[in-house]
Amino acid sequence: MSRFSKSVFVFALFSASTAAIAFDGYQGVGRQATPAEVKAWDIDVRPDFKGLPKGSGNVERGNELFEEKCASCHGSFGESNEVFTPLAGGTTKDDIKNGRVRGLSSGELPQRTTFTKVATISTVFDYIQRAMPWTAPKSLKPDEVYAILAYLLNLQEIVPADFVLSDKNIGDVQKLLPNRNGMTTDHGLWPGASAKKGGIGNGGVPDVKNVACMKNCKSTVQIGSTLPDYARTAHGELADQYRHFGPVRGTRTLEGDAAKPAAAANPNLELATKSGCMACHGVSNKIVGPGYEEVVTRYRGQTDAEARLIGKVKAGGQGAWGSVPMPPNGHLPDEDIKTLVKWILSGAK
Amino acid sequence: MVDIVKQPGLLRPAPENFLSETQVAAVAAGRRDFLRKSFLAAGAAMAAPMAARAAVEGDSNILNLPEWSTTLGKPVATNPYGMPSKFESQLLRRESPGLARVGGASVSFAPLQGLFGIITPSGLHFERHHQGWQDIDPTRHRLMINGSDDKLLKKAKVYTMDELMRLPSVSRIHFIECGANTGLEWGNVAVPTVQYTHGMLSCSEFTGVPLKTLLEDCGVDYKKARYVLAEGADGSSMTRTIPMEMVESGEVIVAYGQNGEMLRPENGYPLRLVVPGVQGVSWVKWLRRIEVGDQPYATKDEAVHYIDLLPNGLHRQYSSIQECKSVITTPSGGQSLLTQGFYNVSGLAWSGRGRIKQVDVSFDGGINWQTARLEGPIQNKALTRFNINWVWDGKPAILQSRAIDETGYVQPSYGQLRAVRGTKSIYHNNAIQSWKVVESGEVTNVQVL
């Protein structure tokens, strides 16, 4: 500070009240959070169960809730692959005993479900509470989360059908998680202090070591894999995914009609994609909402269907196909909604 | 009059996309003699520049002044927010079919095959959302900082955007890469172009307040608080654990600015965390809360996803750093070289551990390597553009790039990576990428072990 003291002094002569050239905090910026505010947002639950709300719920209630709020996307038994990888399945009694899911190393697992991976039960509680159901996150009460989690644990054969899960016994359940011993932090990809210094990881030491050879580094070039034919065309016309000028061209991968950009061929489908409808509806398959062909079948011959569906798409709602609601689409121009509904009812071709 | 200047050495009987717009128009207008001639030319291969050249007066684009040279252009502010040229409709963010089941929990890839330099245009920045994206009203957005325990922080605080934007700010260029980038290719080649192999990668200039400034404003106790939880305001309220060491270094930024304007909604408007060198999932978007704690949190996206499966069945947890990696973007898979001759081979290199020191390029599948030019300034945990001269002789070639960072770490081969991590770990695939060029000029994705 000493090299500034002279100028501070000179400045002080002009304005004695502006003495605070030395930094004195970011005054006027930010305010203390109230306890209610912290409570409203601090919803995380840690592996040591810090943050876990009090409450309880049983398997039967969980079954009802799951059927009502979760099954449409995850399947009644958490087995569905439709919107996401399955929640349940893939573990054995032995896994529960050992705390390691054998299928992960034996290659017998067709797919890694949530319970084949998770090592901390707090993770599942925390996540359901903060993010599920997907279209109505943070709508579940703690007792409902306990009940749903009890149901999932029962599906996984970790707890019996008459089990009541609560903040009191969740620690016991942790000791039965099939993959509870399945994690390691002994690697070089943690950017903080190493385990030796009280952190996690090995302090950033890489696990793979290459050397920068420059000349005659090997005698043959071994190609391990090439692009399969189906993959060459699965991403559409590559010629249209690069400029039509420049040092190279996109390779033409589709022939004839298929080469026409899909969007230009089908402005309605493009509109539906742009409007977000295709995220939840397939043309022939259900995603979150019904497939458009199902909609056509249901409303065939009903002359007032168009007007009703325009209203429904605009306002959103549930009950016609299940308990999952469609969010309102009021932000879209009326014209677009009308075009979309007409297109859907005409078979979404 | 002939309205084209024939390119000497055009190797292939030109399919439609090898012709200029004018040439296509000529063909469409019934000038089939042109096609016949160009087949002949291709047959004559590279022998000599067209003998007919002398008889040609020249390029009609030069000889007949185009309309843009002879008419009045559009006035200022015709587009109050400027848009790319109407001719630039090909380079778009795109999804990879079959990768995700619903658009709200999916990925769109940045079109690296056509980008220059190191900055990703904000509208082409890759997207990864877990529960859709939101466009949040900045006047209603709040950032809360609290402790898992009262002892870790003197005072929990709330900041508005007005207040955050009054604080001293920094602007830094950093890359962001999803931990799952190139994840589709762990086991074998799966996708055709660099957009899908490496497009969960972008680089921007971010502006904001170092998180350290805010934590110190709240009176953090660095001795006890060794972990930070970042949480989003969207439906997923994405959470990740970040080590306090990174925050203390001053590198972690609470950012509102991206490439000179506010963040785009898809990238977290109005506030996101920037965690340089660490995988994208930790750069929590729509950031609403920071909690300091004395333990890691094992959130869903660090306990069920973004964990790396090893051959022995264990998963690596809290894997975060994006190790040194590079890829050639021109030429790359799904492209075709037009003719033999000179090319500027160009690509990107980056490292989550610091600056890029060197990039070597091989044209023979890794037998011999040459050092490429790095375009400066070379920045910490930012994309670095490399270029190298190449004369293609029309023979098959395999192009590879291999980056080395300032720690001396050398980007590994597929063989080396798989020997340690197997083929099922999904995340953190930083293997050397190979592009095979065949006689026709077509470039495809292959894996060299």
Side-chain angles (χ1 to χ4, degrees):
Chain A
M1 278 309 287
S2 64
R3 71 198 165 96
F4 294 118
S5 54
K6 199 166 188 179
S7 59
V8 169
F9 177 69
V10 172
F11 190 69
L13 286 181
F14 285 96
S15 162
S17 63
T18 325
I21 286 249
F23 183 66
D24 192 23
Y26 302 108
Q27 293 182 19
V29 176
R31 62 163 175 84
Q32 180 138 26
T34 70
E37 286 171 339
V38 175
K39 186 162 174 247
W41 276 11
D42 183 0
I43 56 172
D44 64 84
V45 182
R46 288 200 316 201
D48 64 351
F49 301 116
K50 185 158 234 170
L52 186 72
K54 288 196 172 19
S56 67
N58 64 33
V59 173
E60 198 189 328
R61 175 76 187 121
N63 189 355
E64 285 165 20
L65 286 164
F66 197 87
E67 202 52 52
E68 184 193 326
K69 294 175 190 280
C70 323
S72 58
C73 290
H74 292 292
S76 293
F77 307 104
E79 83 295 353
S80 172
N81 215 355
E82 194 114 344
V83 301
F84 201 61
T85 45
L87 306 181
T91 68
T92 64
K93 286 262 177 261
D94 270 352
D95 295 343
I96 294 176
K97 207 159 73 203
N98 302 329
R100 284 284 299 275
V101 171
R102 215 181 76 85
L104 290 172
S105 53
S106 67
E108 288 153 20
L109 270 186
Q111 203 161 22
R112 282 183 277 172
T113 70
T114 309
F115 279 96
T116 60
K117 294 183 282 181
V118 72
T120 36
I121 191 68
S122 61
T123 304
V124 191
F125 189 101
D126 173 282
Y127 181 67
I128 293 174
Q129 171 170 266
R130 76 172 55 244
M132 287 293 138
W134 202 48
T135 45
K138 303 177 190 66
S139 60
L140 297 174
K141 295 183 191 67
D143 284 350
E144 294 177 317
V145 180
Y146 279 108
I148 290 169
L149 189 51
Y151 173 67
L152 288 173
L153 289 164
N154 175 249
L155 280 180
Q156 205 63 41
E157 296 176 21
I158 297 169
V159 302
D162 58 359
F163 193 74
V164 185
L165 181 69
S166 73
D167 54 301
K168 304 278 180 316
N169 64 12
I170 195 166
D172 301 333
V173 172
Q174 169 64 37
K175 294 180 196 128
L176 299 172
L177 272 197
N179 203 39
R180 62 187 175 279
N181 301 324
M183 295 289 160
T184 174
T185 57
D186 186 13
H187 58 73
L189 297 186
W190 173 249
S194 67
K196 274 202 202 103
K197 296 190 173 152
I200 47 187
N202 70 12
V205 183
D207 57 352
V208 176
K209 195 166 161 37
N210 193 5
V211 285
C213 168
M214 298 301 287
K215 284 264 165 302
N216 301 321
C217 303
K218 52 189 176 188
S219 51
T220 55
V221 174
Q222 196 192 344
I223 294 190
S225 170
T226 57
L227 188 70
D229 270 346
Y230 70 84
R232 191 166 176 269
T233 52
H235 290 71
E237 180 51 75
L238 300 182
D240 294 331
Q241 300 182 25
Y242 186 75
R243 291 187 186 89
H244 295 159
F245 62 96
V248 295
R249 293 292 181 277
T251 304
R252 192 157 291 286
T253 43
L254 302 177
E255 305 294 336
D257 274 356
K260 291 205 195 85
N266 195 338
N268 287 321
L269 179 61
E270 192 189 8
L271 178 64
T273 307
K274 199 180 83 193
S275 308
C277 319
M278 304 311 288
C280 295
H281 298 282
V283 171
S284 52
N285 60 305
K286 163 181 178 294
I287 301 178
V288 176
Y292 295 140
E293 283 167 8
E294 294 176 83
V295 177
V296 177
T297 313
R298 172 168 309 182
Y299 296 107
R300 187 163 288 139
Q302 300 185 22
T303 45
D304 61 341
E306 183 179 313
R308 269 198 293 132
L309 291 181
I310 288 174
K312 169 80 169 259
V313 172
K314 209 166 154 176
Q318 67 196 98
W321 299 87
S323 62
V324 182
M326 169 160 65
N329 289 292
H331 59 286
L332 297 174
D334 286 356
E335 265 315 293
D336 286 0
I337 295 182
K338 203 167 150 192
T339 308
L340 287 166
V341 169
K342 272 187 182 291
W343 171 66
I344 292 168
L345 287 176
S346 70
K349 294 269 161 29
Chain B
M1 201 190 65
V2 183
D3 62 353
I4 51 158
V5 174
K6 293 198 174 66
Q7 294 181 6
L10 193 60
L11 267 192
R12 305 208 278 183
E16 171 190 359
N17 58 320
F18 278 12
L19 305 186
S20 72
E21 304 278 345
T22 349
Q23 290 167 330
V24 172
V27 176
R31 306 278 305 275
R32 298 203 179 271
D33 61 328
F34 153 69
L35 257 196
R36 192 169 41 78
K37 279 187 204 147
S38 83
F39 270 78
L40 286 176
M46 321 260 307
M50 291 299 295
R53 186 79 166 270
V56 174
E57 253 186 276
D59 184 344
S60 68
N61 287 305
I62 297 172
L63 298 178
N64 305 335
L65 290 183
E67 58 280 17
W68 52 85
S69 303
T70 56
T71 56
L72 175 63
K74 298 175 189 68
V76 297
T78 303
N79 301 321
Y81 193 102
M83 296 298 287
S85 158
K86 64 177 188 241
F87 299 104
E88 293 293 313
S89 59
Q90 305 84 15
L91 297 170
L92 303 172
R93 297 197 275 230
R94 293 176 197 270
E95 285 186 84
S96 181
L99 179 59
R101 299 157 182 85
V102 282
S106 185
V107 178
S108 73
F109 297 81
L112 302 181
Q113 68 273 25
L115 303 185
F116 312 117
I118 61 169
I119 298 292
T120 311
S122 299
L124 295 178
H125 192 294
F126 83 88
E127 295 172 280
R128 170 76 172 105
H129 315 306
H130 288 260
Q131 215 140 332
W133 60 274
Q134 302 280 356
D135 196 355
I136 291 177
D137 178 350
T139 65
R140 292 174 56 203
H141 188 70
R142 303 288 181 267
L143 177 67
M144 179 185 289
I145 298 190
N146 70 304
S148 65
D149 203 300
D150 290 346
K151 291 196 268 311
L152 304 182
L153 199 69
K154 279 213 186 78
K155 141 161 108 167
K157 284 186 81 168
V158 174
Y159 300 88
T160 61
M161 288 304 297
D162 294 349
E163 290 162 339
L164 292 170
M165 292 167 87
R166 276 167 68 180
L167 289 171
S169 66
V170 296
S171 294
R172 293 186 194 135
I173 296 177
H174 290 300
F175 78 83
I176 169 171
E177 183 183 21
C178 177
N181 201 24
T182 325
L184 292 166
E185 304 251 313
W186 259 112
N188 52 271
V189 173
V191 290
T193 75
V194 72
Q195 176 157 22
Y196 308 108
T197 58
H198 289 76
M200 286 195 261
L201 171 73
S202 296
C203 183
S204 302
E205 184 195 62
F206 293 98
T207 297
V209 185
L211 177 55
K212 182 183 156 104
T213 304
L214 297 171
L215 294 190
E216 288 170 10
D217 187 47
C218 297
V220 66
D221 181 345
Y222 282 129
K223 282 215 187 61
K224 299 199 185 89
R226 298 313 304 161
Y227 299 90
V228 165
L229 180 80
E231 178 177 85
D234 62 316
S236 78
S237 288
M238 167 67 71
T239 38
R240 279 283 298 194
T241 306
I242 293 148
M244 190 60 93
E245 290 81 8
M246 278 205 78
V247 178
E248 285 173 288
S249 78
E251 282 196 359
V252 179
I253 308 169
V254 173
Y256 43 81
Q258 179 182 357
N259 297 333
E261 57 184 5
M262 285 294 291
L263 292 162
R264 293 290 170 94
E266 297 93 320
N267 303 126
Y269 181 92
L271 206 62
R272 86 172 306 168
L273 203 63
V274 167
V275 193
V278 167
Q279 62 188 1
V281 66
S282 294
W283 297 41
V284 172
K285 295 187 280 189
W286 311 290
L287 183 71
R288 78 164 190 186
R289 191 169 70 94
I290 294 284
E291 176 173 305
V292 299
D294 52 4
Q295 280 185 26
Y297 287 82
T299 71
K300 175 254 207 179
D301 287 298
E302 59 195 14
V304 183
H305 296 278
Y306 303 89
I307 51 175
D308 313 31
L309 179 61
L310 299 175
N312 65 6
L314 282 175
H315 283 95
R316 285 184 174 164
Q317 194 175 15
Y318 302 114
S319 49
S320 305
I321 294 175
Q322 295 298 110
E323 294 185 296
C324 185
K325 186 167 170 181
S326 68
V327 67
I328 293 171
T329 52
T330 307
S332 55
Q335 299 182 332
S336 295
L337 301 176
L338 295 178
T339 66
Q340 293 177 17
F342 180 84
Y343 286 89
N344 177 53
V345 171
S346 184
L348 294 166
W350 61 101
S351 168
R353 291 204 178 91
R355 288 179 172 75
I356 290 296
K357 191 168 78 184
Q358 181 177 330
V359 179
D360 303 317
V361 172
S362 172
F363 297 99
D364 59 12
I367 298 174
N368 296 294
W369 298 82
Q370 285 163 261
T371 299
R373 305 184 298 274
L374 300 184
E375 304 305 322
I378 299 168
Q379 305 181 71
N380 179 37
K381 302 177 185 175
L383 292 188
T384 299
R385 175 64 64 174
F386 66 86
N387 291 299
I388 188 167
N389 295 351
W390 184 46
V391 175
W392 183 47
D393 59 6
K395 299 209 181 78
I398 295 178
L399 275 56
Q400 300 181 314
S401 64
R402 179 185 68 194
I404 307 175
D405 69 17
E406 62 183 335
T407 69
Y409 173 94
V410 183
Q411 184 183 2
S413 69
Y414 264 104
Q416 290 169 326
L417 210 51
R418 285 183 188 142
V420 179
R421 302 191 199 161
T423 57
K424 299 208 167 110
S425 64
I426 301 181
Y427 303 98
H428 303 114
N429 176 357
N430 67 328
I432 290 172
Q433 170 70 41
S434 307
W435 304 119
K436 182 172 165 200
V437 182
V438 294
E439 283 96 338
S440 69
E442 183 171 347
V443 187
T444 56
N445 184 2
V446 298
Q447 288 181 355
V448 171
L449 297 179

